Amino acid sequence: MNLPGEVVIKEVGPRDGLQNEKLLVPTEHKISWINQLSSTGLTYIEFSAFVSPKWIPALADAAAVAKGIDHVQGVTYAALVPNQRGLERALEASVDEVSVFLSASETHNRKNINKSIDETFQVLADVASGAKTAGKTVRGYVSTVFGCPFEGNIKLEEVIRVIESLLEIGISEVSLGDTIGVANPRQVAETLDVLLKRYPSESLALHFHDTGGMALANILVALEMGIKTFDASVGGLGGCPYAPGAAGNVATDDLINMLHAMDIHTGVDAPKLISSARFIQEKLGKKLTSRKLQACQT
Amino acid sequence: MNLPGEVVIKEVGPRDGLQNEKLLVPTEHKISWINQLSSTGLTYIEFSAFVSPKWIPALADAAAVAKGIDHVQGVTYAALVPNQRGLERALEASVDEVSVFLSASETHNRKNINKSIDETFQVLADVASGAKTAGKTVRGYVSTVFGCPFEGNIKLEEVIRVIESLLEIGISEVSLGDTIGVANPRQVAETLDVLLKRYPSESLALHFHDTGGMALANILVALEMGIKTFDASVGGLGGCPYAPGAAGNVATDDLINMLHAMDIHTGVDAPKLISSARFIQEKLGKKLTSRKLQACQT
């Protein structure tokens, strides 16, 4: 097997995970949790989103979280930003990196952002420009790359069009999202086969949800094809409010378990990570879905 | 990707799944469930085990189940048999195929069977001989191929020794079990790389438990290397009484979801299979772990 020696995991639980929870986790618990995550060896934590509290009430305290957490050397603290107002708040809060987002599906983009893809780009271009002027790197999420709850299959040329536009506005890394967890290994191989002829593997990350349980199989394929950056969420937290039935992100704990078993270095301490998963599980008062967490509980 | 056009799934839920449940499912519900499984397009169902009720009380009604179920043309109804007494009962019940079992780990074998591996072989040789005299094929399970809860890693030469002995006594297919769900894709690739130089792929099946969530990734690797037969359990039922913390088998519903998404034919009707998973879930009164089942419930 052609596997890399090292992989970067971008922890998105505090943002992508919590944004879907009905229960509002108190700010002090979020801070405590993110500090635990910072101590696991993770080098990237998307800690919140500077979006309107009307859209995502669960993340209304982004500024207070940014202020309260320890900013550990060597860890990038990123936040999602939808527009200029969000960027201003993110810069005030001294984030290390800004993430922008849009969908490869016109319908999903409209449901999620209330704009067409082209209209969204005009906003994102300003955000990216402003962030870079302030000395920040910008990451771009593309949703529904492998399937849309409204449109079904998304043509690869649509995905390429969105990636091109993101790279043009100076995005440093594009994270390709399987928002509803329908990607299969053959599809991942076929998609990457096309994309990696156009873009260097360092410019792409993969972001799998685990609705069908195929996330680790998909990651395996991507690893073999040269992708070395993956988004994940402790305990398998997450979902999508505009994608009914979708499960959470691939669980960071399951991902590092597979990677470490294959002698792939992540720098993450597995027992500390499981502790942090248990912590947020207890605060949410519900069983999270990661296999590793379930196995430890029996 | 080098994937086969067709895969055979051997449904082991009624045996490997139910044997670990504390709740005794009434015989009539088992019969109803197995009849539902027979109507899904599955071609192989291991419906019970003819073991002492003292060992596995949950399967004490094997003979009544064999008598009660519809024997659908084109479906092989198999049962696990540990010894001569079990074989007699299985033959009386007109099973289509007999399964025997032992472990690649001396310690696990002693805990599970109360005999050494060599002593077990003497018993299995008689069972295989008797079954073949009665015109039945014999399948062989090897447990703990990818790791043992007591011994840790099992040397591949130990696995080969057990496979050799099974083939010598006329076993038609050897099912390699990841009893505690610790196999990783690299290990599966390395193991099959050695074994497939010695044995034709048709003589091997793989049997993954999903403790670490890696079962589908492991199956993907095995598919690419030429394996076309996999054991699975509806809803992800299962576990191992002598392997603490182990999860159930890979879920048949998740497996066919991945295979069908990759255009690999199984002959199984997905909605009917999900219905049968819901049926047994309701009878057991607890949430089963398959991703597909969980996604359908939300």
Side-chain angles (χ1 to χ4, degrees):
Chain A
M1 296 188 102
N2 182 25
L3 296 170
E6 199 162 349
V7 153
V8 173
I9 295 175
K10 303 210 162 173
E11 173 61 45
V12 298
R15 193 277 301 171
D16 202 1
L18 290 191
Q19 77 180 18
N20 295 291
E21 296 298 330
K22 281 178 199 127
L23 190 82
L24 298 185
V25 177
T27 307
E28 62 184 286
H29 292 159
K30 287 185 191 175
I31 291 168
S32 171
W33 180 43
I34 294 165
N35 286 344
Q36 288 175 40
L37 291 172
S38 293
S39 76
T40 61
L42 283 163
T43 55
Y44 191 102
I45 301 172
E46 197 177 67
F47 69 89
S48 193
F50 290 92
V51 299
S52 164
K54 275 188 290 180
W55 286 13
I56 310 184
L59 303 182
D61 58 355
V65 171
K67 198 172 173 189
I69 56 174
D70 300 334
H71 289 254
V72 173
Q73 184 101 36
V75 181
T76 299
Y77 296 91
L80 201 71
V81 157
N83 52 30
Q84 208 58 34
R85 175 73 193 110
L87 178 64
E88 284 160 22
R89 292 174 59 212
L91 293 178
E92 273 166 35
S94 297
V95 302
D96 297 321
E97 182 169 279
V98 161
S99 314
V100 297
F101 59 101
L102 83 171
S103 183
S105 149
E106 196 66 53
T107 313
H108 185 262
N109 201 71
R110 281 188 183 277
K111 298 241 180 201
N112 202 19
I113 303 179
N114 207 22
K115 285 187 177 65
S116 72
I117 290 176
D118 285 341
E119 287 162 356
T120 305
F121 262 120
Q122 293 166 28
V123 177
L124 300 192
D126 286 345
V127 170
S129 166
K132 283 164 64 189
T133 303
K136 308 295 179 188
T137 51
V138 187
R139 186 172 207 239
Y141 287 106
V142 185
S143 306
T144 68
V145 166
F146 299 93
C148 168
F150 310 109
E151 294 187 16
N153 273 345
I154 299 298
K155 284 187 187 151
L156 200 45
E157 59 229 57
E158 294 303 313
V159 176
I160 289 169
R161 185 172 77 93
V162 171
I163 296 173
E164 295 288 357
S165 307
L166 285 172
L167 295 176
E168 268 168 30
I169 62 171
I171 266 55
S172 55
E173 182 179 82
V174 177
S175 174
L176 304 171
D178 178 23
T179 311
I180 53 173
V182 293
N184 69 72
R186 194 198 287 267
Q187 183 189 15
V188 172
E190 287 169 357
T191 303
L192 289 179
D193 194 46
V194 173
L195 297 182
L196 289 171
K197 282 178 187 135
R198 288 172 161 263
Y199 313 110
S201 61
E202 294 70 31
S203 65
L204 300 178
L206 285 172
H207 178 108
F208 291 111
H209 284 248
D210 205 22
T211 316
M214 287 181 278
L216 290 181
N218 291 334
I219 288 172
L220 182 71
V221 170
L223 284 169
E224 289 191 279
M225 294 183 77
I227 301 293
K228 290 179 198 152
T229 304
F230 297 93
D231 300 349
S233 174
V234 159
L237 274 168
C240 180
Y242 302 97
N249 297 89
V250 65
T252 315
D253 19 340
D254 289 340
L255 177 55
I256 64 159
N257 180 53
M258 180 173 85
L259 295 173
H260 292 180
M262 298 196 296
D263 292 326
I264 297 172
H265 184 77
T266 67
V268 181
D269 182 290
K272 280 189 182 172
L273 194 81
I274 285 285
S275 294
S276 72
R278 284 218 188 86
F279 176 87
I280 194 65
Q281 176 172 257
E282 192 196 312
K283 298 305 172 203
L284 289 169
K286 67 170 193 182
K287 236 182 158 179
L288 298 184
T289 57
S290 94
R291 296 287 179 178
K292 206 63 202 160
L293 201 57
Q294 289 180 4
C296 291
Q297 283 162 341
T298 57
Chain B
M1 295 188 101
N2 183 26
L3 296 169
E6 198 162 350
V7 153
V8 173
I9 296 176
K10 302 209 163 174
E11 173 60 45
V12 298
R15 193 277 302 172
D16 202 1
L18 291 192
Q19 77 180 16
N20 294 291
E21 295 299 329
K22 281 178 200 128
L23 190 83
L24 297 186
V25 177
T27 307
E28 62 185 286
H29 292 158
K30 288 185 190 176
I31 291 168
S32 171
W33 180 44
I34 294 166
N35 287 344
Q36 288 174 40
L37 292 171
S38 293
S39 76
T40 60
L42 283 163
T43 55
Y44 191 102
I45 301 172
E46 196 176 67
F47 69 91
S48 193
F50 290 92
V51 299
S52 163
K54 275 188 292 179
W55 285 12
I56 310 184
L59 302 182
D61 59 357
V65 170
K67 198 171 174 190
I69 57 173
D70 300 332
H71 288 255
V72 174
Q73 185 103 33
V75 182
T76 299
Y77 296 91
L80 200 72
V81 157
N83 52 30
Q84 207 58 35
R85 175 75 192 108
L87 178 64
E88 284 161 23
R89 290 175 60 212
L91 294 178
E92 272 166 36
S94 297
V95 301
D96 297 322
E97 183 168 279
V98 161
S99 313
V100 297
F101 59 101
L102 82 171
S103 182
S105 149
E106 195 68 52
T107 313
H108 185 261
N109 200 72
R110 281 188 184 277
K111 297 240 181 200
N112 203 19
I113 303 179
N114 207 21
K115 285 187 178 65
S116 73
I117 290 177
D118 285 340
E119 287 162 355
T120 305
F121 262 121
Q122 292 166 30
V123 176
L124 299 192
D126 286 345
V127 170
S129 165
K132 284 165 65 189
T133 303
K136 309 296 179 187
T137 49
V138 186
R139 185 172 208 239
Y141 287 106
V142 185
S143 305
T144 67
V145 166
F146 299 93
C148 168
F150 311 108
E151 295 187 17
N153 273 344
I154 299 298
K155 284 188 187 152
L156 201 45
E157 60 229 56
E158 295 302 312
V159 175
I160 289 169
R161 186 172 75 94
V162 171
I163 295 174
E164 294 290 355
S165 308
L166 284 172
L167 295 176
E168 268 168 29
I169 62 170
I171 265 57
S172 55
E173 182 180 82
V174 176
S175 175
L176 305 172
D178 178 22
T179 312
I180 53 173
V182 294
N184 68 72
R186 193 197 287 266
Q187 183 188 16
V188 171
E190 288 170 356
T191 303
L192 289 178
D193 194 46
V194 173
L195 296 183
L196 289 171
K197 282 180 187 135
R198 289 172 162 262
Y199 313 111
S201 60
E202 294 70 30
S203 65
L204 300 178
L206 285 172
H207 178 108
F208 291 111
H209 284 248
D210 205 22
T211 315
M214 289 182 276
L216 290 181
N218 290 333
I219 287 172
L220 182 71
V221 169
L223 284 169
E224 288 191 279
M225 294 183 77
I227 300 292
K228 290 178 197 154
T229 304
F230 297 93
D231 301 349
S233 174
V234 159
L237 275 168
C240 179
Y242 303 97
N249 297 89
V250 66
T252 316
D253 19 340
D254 289 341
L255 177 54
I256 65 160
N257 180 53
M258 180 174 85
L259 294 173
H260 292 182
M262 298 196 296
D263 292 326
I264 297 172
H265 184 77
T266 67
V268 180
D269 182 290
K272 280 189 182 172
L273 194 81
I274 285 286
S275 294
S276 71
R278 285 217 187 86
F279 177 88
I280 194 66
Q281 177 172 255
E282 193 196 311
K283 297 307 173 200
L284 288 169
K286 66 170 192 182
K287 235 181 156 176
L288 298 184
T289 57
S290 95
R291 296 285 178 179
K292 206 63 201 161
L293 200 59
Q294 288 179 3
C296 291
Q297 281 163 342
T298 57

